[in-house]
mmCIF file with all atom_site columns, all heavy atoms in Angstrom:
data_model
loop_
_atom_site.group_PDB
_atom_site.id
_atom_site.type_symbol
_atom_site.label_atom_id
_atom_site.label_alt_id
_atom_site.label_comp_id
_atom_site.label_asym_id
_atom_site.label_entity_id
_atom_site.label_seq_id
_atom_site.pdbx_PDB_ins_code
_atom_site.Cartn_x
_atom_site.Cartn_y
_atom_site.Cartn_z
_atom_site.occupancy
_atom_site.B_iso_or_equiv
_atom_site.pdbx_formal_charge
_atom_site.auth_seq_id
_atom_site.auth_comp_id
_atom_site.auth_asym_id
_atom_site.auth_atom_id
_atom_site.pdbx_PDB_model_num
ATOM 1   N N   . ALA H 1 1  ? 179.190 49.449 86.432 1.00 98.00 ? 52 ALA H N   1
ATOM 2   C CA  . ALA H 1 1  ? 180.228 48.415 86.417 1.00 98.00 ? 52 ALA H CA  1
ATOM 3   C C   . ALA H 1 1  ? 181.581 49.013 86.034 1.00 98.00 ? 52 ALA H C   1
ATOM 4   O O   . ALA H 1 1  ? 182.606 48.716 86.654 1.00 98.00 ? 52 ALA H O   1
ATOM 5   C CB  . ALA H 1 1  ? 179.847 47.297 85.452 1.00 98.00 ? 52 ALA H CB  1
ATOM 6   N N   . ARG H 1 2  ? 181.566 49.869 85.000 1.00 98.00 ? 53 ARG H N   1
ATOM 7   C CA  . ARG H 1 2  ? 182.839 50.445 84.558 1.00 98.00 ? 53 ARG H CA  1
ATOM 8   C C   . ARG H 1 2  ? 183.456 51.314 85.640 1.00 98.00 ? 53 ARG H C   1
ATOM 9   O O   . ARG H 1 2  ? 184.663 51.259 85.867 1.00 98.00 ? 53 ARG H O   1
ATOM 10  C CB  . ARG H 1 2  ? 182.659 51.218 83.249 1.00 98.00 ? 53 ARG H CB  1
ATOM 11  C CG  . ARG H 1 2  ? 182.641 50.268 82.046 1.00 98.00 ? 53 ARG H CG  1
ATOM 12  C CD  . ARG H 1 2  ? 182.420 50.966 80.740 1.00 98.00 ? 53 ARG H CD  1
ATOM 13  N NE  . ARG H 1 2  ? 183.536 51.813 80.363 1.00 98.00 ? 53 ARG H NE  1
ATOM 14  C CZ  . ARG H 1 2  ? 183.618 52.454 79.199 1.00 98.00 ? 53 ARG H CZ  1
ATOM 15  N NH1 . ARG H 1 2  ? 182.656 52.332 78.298 1.00 98.00 ? 53 ARG H NH1 1
ATOM 16  N NH2 . ARG H 1 2  ? 184.649 53.209 78.919 1.00 98.00 ? 53 ARG H NH2 1
ATOM 17  N N   . ALA H 1 3  ? 182.618 52.096 86.318 1.00 98.00 ? 54 ALA H N   1
ATOM 18  C CA  . ALA H 1 3  ? 183.130 52.990 87.357 1.00 98.00 ? 54 ALA H CA  1
ATOM 19  C C   . ALA H 1 3  ? 183.598 52.209 88.590 1.00 98.00 ? 54 ALA H C   1
ATOM 20  O O   . ALA H 1 3  ? 184.714 52.405 89.071 1.00 98.00 ? 54 ALA H O   1
ATOM 21  C CB  . ALA H 1 3  ? 182.058 53.998 87.755 1.00 98.00 ? 54 ALA H CB  1
ATOM 22  N N   . GLU H 1 4  ? 182.750 51.309 89.111 1.00 98.00 ? 55 GLU H N   1
ATOM 23  C CA  . GLU H 1 4  ? 183.044 50.673 90.395 1.00 98.00 ? 55 GLU H CA  1
ATOM 24  C C   . GLU H 1 4  ? 183.997 49.484 90.268 1.00 98.00 ? 55 GLU H C   1
ATOM 25  O O   . GLU H 1 4  ? 184.669 49.128 91.229 1.00 98.00 ? 55 GLU H O   1
ATOM 26  C CB  . GLU H 1 4  ? 181.744 50.280 91.099 1.00 98.00 ? 55 GLU H CB  1
ATOM 27  C CG  . GLU H 1 4  ? 180.900 51.517 91.422 1.00 98.00 ? 55 GLU H CG  1
ATOM 28  C CD  . GLU H 1 4  ? 179.684 51.218 92.288 1.00 98.00 ? 55 GLU H CD  1
ATOM 29  O OE1 . GLU H 1 4  ? 179.628 50.135 92.891 1.00 98.00 ? 55 GLU H OE1 1
ATOM 30  O OE2 . GLU H 1 4  ? 178.794 52.091 92.340 1.00 98.00 ? 55 GLU H OE2 1
ATOM 31  N N   . LEU H 1 5  ? 184.034 48.865 89.080 1.00 98.00 ? 56 LEU H N   1
ATOM 32  C CA  . LEU H 1 5  ? 184.970 47.758 88.874 1.00 98.00 ? 56 LEU H CA  1
ATOM 33  C C   . LEU H 1 5  ? 186.227 48.200 88.118 1.00 98.00 ? 56 LEU H C   1
ATOM 34  O O   . LEU H 1 5  ? 187.153 47.424 87.930 1.00 98.00 ? 56 LEU H O   1
ATOM 35  C CB  . LEU H 1 5  ? 184.287 46.610 88.119 1.00 98.00 ? 56 LEU H CB  1
ATOM 36  C CG  . LEU H 1 5  ? 183.068 45.981 88.817 1.00 98.00 ? 56 LEU H CG  1
ATOM 37  C CD1 . LEU H 1 5  ? 182.405 44.945 87.915 1.00 98.00 ? 56 LEU H CD1 1
ATOM 38  C CD2 . LEU H 1 5  ? 183.459 45.349 90.150 1.00 98.00 ? 56 LEU H CD2 1
ATOM 39  N N   . GLY H 1 6  ? 186.231 49.475 87.681 1.00 98.00 ? 57 GLY H N   1
ATOM 40  C CA  . GLY H 1 6  ? 187.410 49.999 86.997 1.00 98.00 ? 57 GLY H CA  1
ATOM 41  C C   . GLY H 1 6  ? 187.692 49.335 85.662 1.00 98.00 ? 57 GLY H C   1
ATOM 42  O O   . GLY H 1 6  ? 188.843 49.032 85.348 1.00 98.00 ? 57 GLY H O   1
ATOM 43  N N   . LEU H 1 7  ? 186.637 49.095 84.882 1.00 97.00 ? 58 LEU H N   1
ATOM 44  C CA  . LEU H 1 7  ? 186.798 48.353 83.625 1.00 97.00 ? 58 LEU H CA  1
ATOM 45  C C   . LEU H 1 7  ? 187.236 49.248 82.470 1.00 97.00 ? 58 LEU H C   1
ATOM 46  O O   . LEU H 1 7  ? 186.812 50.398 82.358 1.00 97.00 ? 58 LEU H O   1
ATOM 47  C CB  . LEU H 1 7  ? 185.479 47.670 83.245 1.00 97.00 ? 58 LEU H CB  1
ATOM 48  C CG  . LEU H 1 7  ? 184.870 46.748 84.305 1.00 97.00 ? 58 LEU H CG  1
ATOM 49  C CD1 . LEU H 1 7  ? 183.574 46.136 83.795 1.00 97.00 ? 58 LEU H CD1 1
ATOM 50  C CD2 . LEU H 1 7  ? 185.860 45.664 84.725 1.00 97.00 ? 58 LEU H CD2 1
ATOM 51  N N   . ALA H 1 8  ? 188.058 48.689 81.606 1.00 96.00 ? 59 ALA H N   1
ATOM 52  C CA  . ALA H 1 8  ? 188.471 49.380 80.379 1.00 96.00 ? 59 ALA H CA  1
ATOM 53  C C   . ALA H 1 8  ? 187.332 49.298 79.364 1.00 96.00 ? 59 ALA H C   1
ATOM 54  O O   . ALA H 1 8  ? 186.445 48.449 79.491 1.00 96.00 ? 59 ALA H O   1
ATOM 55  C CB  . ALA H 1 8  ? 189.722 48.707 79.811 1.00 96.00 ? 59 ALA H CB  1
ATOM 56  N N   . PRO H 1 9  ? 187.333 50.189 78.337 1.00 96.00 ? 60 PRO H N   1
ATOM 57  C CA  . PRO H 1 9  ? 186.307 50.082 77.295 1.00 96.00 ? 60 PRO H CA  1
ATOM 58  C C   . PRO H 1 9  ? 186.372 48.695 76.646 1.00 96.00 ? 60 PRO H C   1
ATOM 59  O O   . PRO H 1 9  ? 187.458 48.127 76.499 1.00 96.00 ? 60 PRO H O   1
ATOM 60  C CB  . PRO H 1 9  ? 186.693 51.169 76.287 1.00 96.00 ? 60 PRO H CB  1
ATOM 61  C CG  . PRO H 1 9  ? 187.530 52.132 77.055 1.00 96.00 ? 60 PRO H CG  1
ATOM 62  C CD  . PRO H 1 9  ? 188.254 51.311 78.095 1.00 96.00 ? 60 PRO H CD  1
ATOM 63  N N   . PRO H 1 10 ? 185.217 48.127 76.300 1.00 97.00 ? 61 PRO H N   1
ATOM 64  C CA  . PRO H 1 10 ? 185.208 46.764 75.768 1.00 97.00 ? 61 PRO H CA  1
ATOM 65  C C   . PRO H 1 10 ? 185.732 46.685 74.335 1.00 97.00 ? 61 PRO H C   1
ATOM 66  O O   . PRO H 1 10 ? 185.742 47.679 73.602 1.00 97.00 ? 61 PRO H O   1
ATOM 67  C CB  . PRO H 1 10 ? 183.725 46.381 75.819 1.00 97.00 ? 61 PRO H CB  1
ATOM 68  C CG  . PRO H 1 10 ? 182.995 47.680 75.727 1.00 97.00 ? 61 PRO H CG  1
ATOM 69  C CD  . PRO H 1 10 ? 183.859 48.693 76.426 1.00 97.00 ? 61 PRO H CD  1
ATOM 70  N N   . LEU H 1 11 ? 186.167 45.488 73.941 1.00 98.00 ? 62 LEU H N   1
ATOM 71  C CA  . LEU H 1 11 ? 186.589 45.222 72.578 1.00 98.00 ? 62 LEU H CA  1
ATOM 72  C C   . LEU H 1 11 ? 185.407 45.478 71.637 1.00 98.00 ? 62 LEU H C   1
ATOM 73  O O   . LEU H 1 11 ? 184.312 44.975 71.880 1.00 98.00 ? 62 LEU H O   1
ATOM 74  C CB  . LEU H 1 11 ? 187.028 43.754 72.460 1.00 98.00 ? 62 LEU H CB  1
ATOM 75  C CG  . LEU H 1 11 ? 187.542 43.267 71.109 1.00 98.00 ? 62 LEU H CG  1
ATOM 76  C CD1 . LEU H 1 11 ? 188.890 43.894 70.785 1.00 98.00 ? 62 LEU H CD1 1
ATOM 77  C CD2 . LEU H 1 11 ? 187.655 41.739 71.105 1.00 98.00 ? 62 LEU H CD2 1
ATOM 78  N N   . PRO H 1 12 ? 185.589 46.271 70.567 1.00 98.00 ? 63 PRO H N   1
ATOM 79  C CA  . PRO H 1 12 ? 184.484 46.502 69.621 1.00 98.00 ? 63 PRO H CA  1
ATOM 80  C C   . PRO H 1 12 ? 184.013 45.183 69.002 1.00 98.00 ? 63 PRO H C   1
ATOM 81  O O   . PRO H 1 12 ? 184.837 44.307 68.703 1.00 98.00 ? 63 PRO H O   1
ATOM 82  C CB  . PRO H 1 12 ? 185.106 47.419 68.566 1.00 98.00 ? 63 PRO H CB  1
ATOM 83  C CG  . PRO H 1 12 ? 186.276 48.060 69.245 1.00 98.00 ? 63 PRO H CG  1
ATOM 84  C CD  . PRO H 1 12 ? 186.788 47.025 70.207 1.00 98.00 ? 63 PRO H CD  1
ATOM 85  N N   . TRP H 1 13 ? 182.692 45.043 68.817 1.00 98.00 ? 64 TRP H N   1
ATOM 86  C CA  . TRP H 1 13 ? 182.151 43.743 68.434 1.00 98.00 ? 64 TRP H CA  1
ATOM 87  C C   . TRP H 1 13 ? 182.673 43.229 67.093 1.00 98.00 ? 64 TRP H C   1
ATOM 88  O O   . TRP H 1 13 ? 182.864 42.019 66.932 1.00 98.00 ? 64 TRP H O   1
ATOM 89  C CB  . TRP H 1 13 ? 180.618 43.747 68.480 1.00 98.00 ? 64 TRP H CB  1
ATOM 90  C CG  . TRP H 1 13 ? 179.905 44.569 67.441 1.00 98.00 ? 64 TRP H CG  1
ATOM 91  C CD1 . TRP H 1 13 ? 179.514 45.872 67.578 1.00 98.00 ? 64 TRP H CD1 1
ATOM 92  C CD2 . TRP H 1 13 ? 179.462 44.143 66.146 1.00 98.00 ? 64 TRP H CD2 1
ATOM 93  N NE1 . TRP H 1 13 ? 178.871 46.284 66.443 1.00 98.00 ? 64 TRP H NE1 1
ATOM 94  C CE2 . TRP H 1 13 ? 178.816 45.243 65.547 1.00 98.00 ? 64 TRP H CE2 1
ATOM 95  C CE3 . TRP H 1 13 ? 179.549 42.945 65.429 1.00 98.00 ? 64 TRP H CE3 1
ATOM 96  C CZ2 . TRP H 1 13 ? 178.261 45.190 64.269 1.00 98.00 ? 64 TRP H CZ2 1
ATOM 97  C CZ3 . TRP H 1 13 ? 178.995 42.877 64.155 1.00 98.00 ? 64 TRP H CZ3 1
ATOM 98  C CH2 . TRP H 1 13 ? 178.358 43.995 63.586 1.00 98.00 ? 64 TRP H CH2 1
ATOM 99  N N   . ARG H 1 14 ? 182.939 44.105 66.139 1.00 98.00 ? 65 ARG H N   1
ATOM 100 C CA  . ARG H 1 14 ? 183.423 43.616 64.834 1.00 98.00 ? 65 ARG H CA  1
ATOM 101 C C   . ARG H 1 14 ? 184.787 42.932 64.979 1.00 98.00 ? 65 ARG H C   1
ATOM 102 O O   . ARG H 1 14 ? 185.037 41.899 64.369 1.00 98.00 ? 65 ARG H O   1
ATOM 103 C CB  . ARG H 1 14 ? 183.494 44.750 63.814 1.00 98.00 ? 65 ARG H CB  1
ATOM 104 C CG  . ARG H 1 14 ? 182.127 45.167 63.303 1.00 98.00 ? 65 ARG H CG  1
ATOM 105 C CD  . ARG H 1 14 ? 182.209 46.209 62.203 1.00 98.00 ? 65 ARG H CD  1
ATOM 106 N NE  . ARG H 1 14 ? 180.905 46.402 61.590 1.00 98.00 ? 65 ARG H NE  1
ATOM 107 C CZ  . ARG H 1 14 ? 179.971 47.241 62.048 1.00 98.00 ? 65 ARG H CZ  1
ATOM 108 N NH1 . ARG H 1 14 ? 180.221 47.971 63.122 1.00 98.00 ? 65 ARG H NH1 1
ATOM 109 N NH2 . ARG H 1 14 ? 178.811 47.339 61.441 1.00 98.00 ? 65 ARG H NH2 1
ATOM 110 N N   . ALA H 1 15 ? 185.647 43.526 65.799 1.00 98.00 ? 66 ALA H N   1
ATOM 111 C CA  . ALA H 1 15 ? 186.968 42.925 66.052 1.00 98.00 ? 66 ALA H CA  1
ATOM 112 C C   . ALA H 1 15 ? 186.812 41.600 66.795 1.00 98.00 ? 66 ALA H C   1
ATOM 113 O O   . ALA H 1 15 ? 187.506 40.617 66.498 1.00 98.00 ? 66 ALA H O   1
ATOM 114 C CB  . ALA H 1 15 ? 187.837 43.888 66.855 1.00 98.00 ? 66 ALA H CB  1
ATOM 115 N N   . GLY H 1 16 ? 185.902 41.575 67.739 1.00 98.00 ? 67 GLY H N   1
ATOM 116 C CA  . GLY H 1 16 ? 185.668 40.355 68.520 1.00 98.00 ? 67 GLY H CA  1
ATOM 117 C C   . GLY H 1 16 ? 185.135 39.217 67.670 1.00 98.00 ? 67 GLY H C   1
ATOM 118 O O   . GLY H 1 16 ? 185.548 38.058 67.828 1.00 98.00 ? 67 GLY H O   1
ATOM 119 N N   . ILE H 1 17 ? 184.226 39.546 66.754 1.00 97.00 ? 68 ILE H N   1
ATOM 120 C CA  . ILE H 1 17 ? 183.646 38.542 65.859 1.00 97.00 ? 68 ILE H CA  1
ATOM 121 C C   . ILE H 1 17 ? 184.746 37.941 64.979 1.00 97.00 ? 68 ILE H C   1
ATOM 122 O O   . ILE H 1 17 ? 184.789 36.730 64.755 1.00 97.00 ? 68 ILE H O   1
ATOM 123 C CB  . ILE H 1 17 ? 182.571 39.197 64.945 1.00 97.00 ? 68 ILE H CB  1
ATOM 124 C CG1 . ILE H 1 17 ? 181.378 39.679 65.759 1.00 97.00 ? 68 ILE H CG1 1
ATOM 125 C CG2 . ILE H 1 17 ? 182.103 38.234 63.861 1.00 97.00 ? 68 ILE H CG2 1
ATOM 126 C CD1 . ILE H 1 17 ? 180.623 38.611 66.438 1.00 97.00 ? 68 ILE H CD1 1
ATOM 127 N N   . ARG H 1 18 ? 185.626 38.803 64.486 1.00 97.00 ? 69 ARG H N   1
ATOM 128 C CA  . ARG H 1 18 ? 186.723 38.338 63.637 1.00 97.00 ? 69 ARG H CA  1
ATOM 129 C C   . ARG H 1 18 ? 187.607 37.355 64.409 1.00 97.00 ? 69 ARG H C   1
ATOM 130 O O   . ARG H 1 18 ? 188.017 36.317 63.892 1.00 97.00 ? 69 ARG H O   1
ATOM 131 C CB  . ARG H 1 18 ? 187.538 39.549 63.152 1.00 97.00 ? 69 ARG H CB  1
ATOM 132 C CG  . ARG H 1 18 ? 188.404 39.277 61.934 1.00 97.00 ? 69 ARG H CG  1
ATOM 133 C CD  . ARG H 1 18 ? 188.873 40.568 61.280 1.00 97.00 ? 69 ARG H CD  1
ATOM 134 N NE  . ARG H 1 18 ? 187.759 41.319 60.696 1.00 97.00 ? 69 ARG H NE  1
ATOM 135 C CZ  . ARG H 1 18 ? 187.474 42.599 60.965 1.00 97.00 ? 69 ARG H CZ  1
ATOM 136 N NH1 . ARG H 1 18 ? 188.224 43.287 61.793 1.00 97.00 ? 69 ARG H NH1 1
ATOM 137 N NH2 . ARG H 1 18 ? 186.447 43.185 60.391 1.00 97.00 ? 69 ARG H NH2 1
ATOM 138 N N   . GLN H 1 19 ? 187.886 37.701 65.652 1.00 97.00 ? 70 GLN H N   1
ATOM 139 C CA  . GLN H 1 19 ? 188.715 36.853 66.510 1.00 97.00 ? 70 GLN H CA  1
ATOM 140 C C   . GLN H 1 19 ? 188.058 35.486 66.732 1.00 97.00 ? 70 GLN H C   1
ATOM 141 O O   . GLN H 1 19 ? 188.706 34.447 66.612 1.00 97.00 ? 70 GLN H O   1
ATOM 142 C CB  . GLN H 1 19 ? 188.881 37.572 67.852 1.00 97.00 ? 70 GLN H CB  1
ATOM 143 C CG  . GLN H 1 19 ? 190.144 37.269 68.608 1.00 97.00 ? 70 GLN H CG  1
ATOM 144 C CD  . GLN H 1 19 ? 190.291 38.237 69.780 1.00 97.00 ? 70 GLN H CD  1
ATOM 145 O OE1 . GLN H 1 19 ? 190.383 39.454 69.613 1.00 97.00 ? 70 GLN H OE1 1
ATOM 146 N NE2 . GLN H 1 19 ? 190.289 37.697 70.982 1.00 97.00 ? 70 GLN H NE2 1
ATOM 147 N N   . LEU H 1 20 ? 186.753 35.501 67.062 1.00 96.00 ? 71 LEU H N   1
ATOM 148 C CA  . LEU H 1 20 ? 186.020 34.252 67.301 1.00 96.00 ? 71 LEU H CA  1
ATOM 149 C C   . LEU H 1 20 ? 185.965 33.404 66.033 1.00 96.00 ? 71 LEU H C   1
ATOM 150 O O   . LEU H 1 20 ? 186.132 32.183 66.083 1.00 96.00 ? 71 LEU H O   1
ATOM 151 C CB  . LEU H 1 20 ? 184.605 34.559 67.809 1.00 96.00 ? 71 LEU H CB  1
ATOM 152 C CG  . LEU H 1 20 ? 183.651 33.362 67.964 1.00 96.00 ? 71 LEU H CG  1
ATOM 153 C CD1 . LEU H 1 20 ? 184.250 32.268 68.843 1.00 96.00 ? 71 LEU H CD1 1
ATOM 154 C CD2 . LEU H 1 20 ? 182.314 33.829 68.532 1.00 96.00 ? 71 LEU H CD2 1
ATOM 155 N N   . LEU H 1 21 ? 185.773 34.056 64.902 1.00 96.00 ? 72 LEU H N   1
ATOM 156 C CA  . LEU H 1 21 ? 185.710 33.347 63.624 1.00 96.00 ? 72 LEU H CA  1
ATOM 157 C C   . LEU H 1 21 ? 187.032 32.613 63.354 1.00 96.00 ? 72 LEU H C   1
ATOM 158 O O   . LEU H 1 21 ? 187.031 31.451 62.924 1.00 96.00 ? 72 LEU H O   1
ATOM 159 C CB  . LEU H 1 21 ? 185.401 34.334 62.491 1.00 96.00 ? 72 LEU H CB  1
ATOM 160 C CG  . LEU H 1 21 ? 184.870 33.740 61.196 1.00 96.00 ? 72 LEU H CG  1
ATOM 161 C CD1 . LEU H 1 21 ? 183.483 33.154 61.396 1.00 96.00 ? 72 LEU H CD1 1
ATOM 162 C CD2 . LEU H 1 21 ? 184.813 34.807 60.103 1.00 96.00 ? 72 LEU H CD2 1
ATOM 163 N N   . GLY H 1 22 ? 188.152 33.284 63.623 1.00 95.00 ? 73 GLY H N   1
ATOM 164 C CA  . GLY H 1 22 ? 189.464 32.663 63.443 1.00 95.00 ? 73 GLY H CA  1
ATOM 165 C C   . GLY H 1 22 ? 189.612 31.422 64.301 1.00 95.00 ? 73 GLY H C   1
ATOM 166 O O   . GLY H 1 22 ? 190.101 30.376 63.835 1.00 95.00 ? 73 GLY H O   1
ATOM 167 N N   . TRP H 1 23 ? 189.166 31.518 65.552 1.00 95.00 ? 74 TRP H N   1
ATOM 168 C CA  . TRP H 1 23 ? 189.242 30.369 66.472 1.00 95.00 ? 74 TRP H CA  1
ATOM 169 C C   . TRP H 1 23 ? 188.361 29.221 65.976 1.00 95.00 ? 74 TRP H C   1
ATOM 170 O O   . TRP H 1 23 ? 188.788 28.050 65.986 1.00 95.00 ? 74 TRP H O   1
ATOM 171 C CB  . TRP H 1 23 ? 188.832 30.790 67.880 1.00 95.00 ? 74 TRP H CB  1
ATOM 172 C CG  . TRP H 1 23 ? 188.879 29.656 68.870 1.00 95.00 ? 74 TRP H CG  1
ATOM 173 C CD1 . TRP H 1 23 ? 189.988 29.162 69.487 1.00 95.00 ? 74 TRP H CD1 1
ATOM 174 C CD2 . TRP H 1 23 ? 187.774 28.871 69.324 1.00 95.00 ? 74 TRP H CD2 1
ATOM 175 N NE1 . TRP H 1 23 ? 189.639 28.107 70.312 1.00 95.00 ? 74 TRP H NE1 1
ATOM 176 C CE2 . TRP H 1 23 ? 188.292 27.910 70.234 1.00 95.00 ? 74 TRP H CE2 1
ATOM 177 C CE3 . TRP H 1 23 ? 186.400 28.893 69.066 1.00 95.00 ? 74 TRP H CE3 1
ATOM 178 C CZ2 . TRP H 1 23 ? 187.474 26.978 70.881 1.00 95.00 ? 74 TRP H CZ2 1
ATOM 179 C CZ3 . TRP H 1 23 ? 185.590 27.962 69.702 1.00 95.00 ? 74 TRP H CZ3 1
ATOM 180 C CH2 . TRP H 1 23 ? 186.124 27.010 70.605 1.00 95.00 ? 74 TRP H CH2 1
ATOM 181 N N   . LEU H 1 24 ? 187.139 29.553 65.532 1.00 94.00 ? 75 LEU H N   1
ATOM 182 C CA  . LEU H 1 24 ? 186.218 28.524 65.038 1.00 94.00 ? 75 LEU H CA  1
ATOM 183 C C   . LEU H 1 24 ? 186.783 27.809 63.814 1.00 94.00 ? 75 LEU H C   1
ATOM 184 O O   . LEU H 1 24 ? 186.676 26.587 63.689 1.00 94.00 ? 75 LEU H O   1
ATOM 185 C CB  . LEU H 1 24 ? 184.856 29.137 64.700 1.00 94.00 ? 75 LEU H CB  1
ATOM 186 C CG  . LEU H 1 24 ? 183.964 29.515 65.887 1.00 94.00 ? 75 LEU H CG  1
ATOM 187 C CD1 . LEU H 1 24 ? 182.788 30.361 65.419 1.00 94.00 ? 75 LEU H CD1 1
ATOM 188 C CD2 . LEU H 1 24 ? 183.460 28.270 66.612 1.00 94.00 ? 75 LEU H CD2 1
ATOM 189 N N   . GLN H 1 25 ? 187.396 28.582 62.902 1.00 94.00 ? 76 GLN H N   1
ATOM 190 C CA  . GLN H 1 25 ? 187.989 27.982 61.701 1.00 94.00 ? 76 GLN H CA  1
ATOM 191 C C   . GLN H 1 25 ? 189.064 26.975 62.089 1.00 94.00 ? 76 GLN H C   1
ATOM 192 O O   . GLN H 1 25 ? 189.132 25.873 61.551 1.00 94.00 ? 76 GLN H O   1
ATOM 193 C CB  . GLN H 1 25 ? 188.576 29.074 60.790 1.00 94.00 ? 76 GLN H CB  1
ATOM 194 C CG  . GLN H 1 25 ? 187.513 29.781 59.970 1.00 94.00 ? 76 GLN H CG  1
ATOM 195 C CD  . GLN H 1 25 ? 188.050 31.030 59.282 1.00 94.00 ? 76 GLN H CD  1
ATOM 196 O OE1 . GLN H 1 25 ? 188.792 31.806 59.876 1.00 94.00 ? 76 GLN H OE1 1
ATOM 197 N NE2 . GLN H 1 25 ? 187.668 31.229 58.027 1.00 94.00 ? 76 GLN H NE2 1
ATOM 198 N N   . GLU H 1 26 ? 189.882 27.378 63.051 1.00 92.00 ? 77 GLU H N   1
ATOM 199 C CA  . GLU H 1 26 ? 190.960 26.513 63.538 1.00 92.00 ? 77 GLU H CA  1
ATOM 200 C C   . GLU H 1 26 ? 190.375 25.243 64.159 1.00 92.00 ? 77 GLU H C   1
ATOM 201 O O   . GLU H 1 26 ? 190.792 24.134 63.839 1.00 92.00 ? 77 GLU H O   1
ATOM 202 C CB  . GLU H 1 26 ? 191.734 27.287 64.611 1.00 92.00 ? 77 GLU H CB  1
ATOM 203 C CG  . GLU H 1 26 ? 193.212 27.032 64.659 1.00 92.00 ? 77 GLU H CG  1
ATOM 204 C CD  . GLU H 1 26 ? 193.870 28.013 65.610 1.00 92.00 ? 77 GLU H CD  1
ATOM 205 O OE1 . GLU H 1 26 ? 194.087 29.181 65.216 1.00 92.00 ? 77 GLU H OE1 1
ATOM 206 O OE2 . GLU H 1 26 ? 194.129 27.629 66.767 1.00 92.00 ? 77 GLU H OE2 1
ATOM 207 N N   . GLU H 1 27 ? 189.390 25.418 65.042 1.00 88.00 ? 78 GLU H N   1
ATOM 208 C CA  . GLU H 1 27 ? 188.742 24.300 65.726 1.00 88.00 ? 78 GLU H CA  1
ATOM 209 C C   . GLU H 1 27 ? 188.099 23.339 64.732 1.00 88.00 ? 78 GLU H C   1
ATOM 210 O O   . GLU H 1 27 ? 188.246 22.126 64.828 1.00 88.00 ? 78 GLU H O   1
ATOM 211 C CB  . GLU H 1 27 ? 187.627 24.834 66.647 1.00 88.00 ? 78 GLU H CB  1
ATOM 212 C CG  . GLU H 1 27 ? 188.114 25.363 67.945 1.00 88.00 ? 78 GLU H CG  1
ATOM 213 C CD  . GLU H 1 27 ? 188.516 24.272 68.910 1.00 88.00 ? 78 GLU H CD  1
ATOM 214 O OE1 . GLU H 1 27 ? 187.638 23.560 69.426 1.00 88.00 ? 78 GLU H OE1 1
ATOM 215 O OE2 . GLU H 1 27 ? 189.721 24.126 69.137 1.00 88.00 ? 78 GLU H OE2 1
ATOM 216 N N   . MET H 1 28 ? 187.353 23.917 63.767 1.00 86.00 ? 79 MET H N   1
ATOM 217 C CA  . MET H 1 28 ? 186.621 23.097 62.813 1.00 86.00 ? 79 MET H CA  1
ATOM 218 C C   . MET H 1 28 ? 187.597 22.396 61.875 1.00 86.00 ? 79 MET H C   1
ATOM 219 O O   . MET H 1 28 ? 187.406 21.250 61.492 1.00 86.00 ? 79 MET H O   1
ATOM 220 C CB  . MET H 1 28 ? 185.608 23.948 62.057 1.00 86.00 ? 79 MET H CB  1
ATOM 221 C CG  . MET H 1 28 ? 184.417 24.302 62.936 1.00 86.00 ? 79 MET H CG  1
ATOM 222 S SD  . MET H 1 28 ? 183.442 25.711 62.322 1.00 86.00 ? 79 MET H SD  1
ATOM 223 C CE  . MET H 1 28 ? 182.732 24.989 60.843 1.00 86.00 ? 79 MET H CE  1
#
């Protein structure tokens, strides 16, 4: 997928979790 679709390295999961947590706090 990375080669044929030209994808950048993915967001590291710890950073992603922090981002989602911030959104959930706001929503809740």
Side-chain angles (χ1 to χ4, degrees):
R53 279 178 68 175
E55 297 188 16
L56 299 175
L58 305 180
L62 181 69
W64 69 268
R65 285 185 170 86
I68 294 296
R69 199 164 293 126
Q70 208 170 299
L71 174 54
L72 199 67
W74 180 80
L75 286 168
Q76 281 169 317
E77 215 171 281
E78 280 285 289
M79 286 162 68

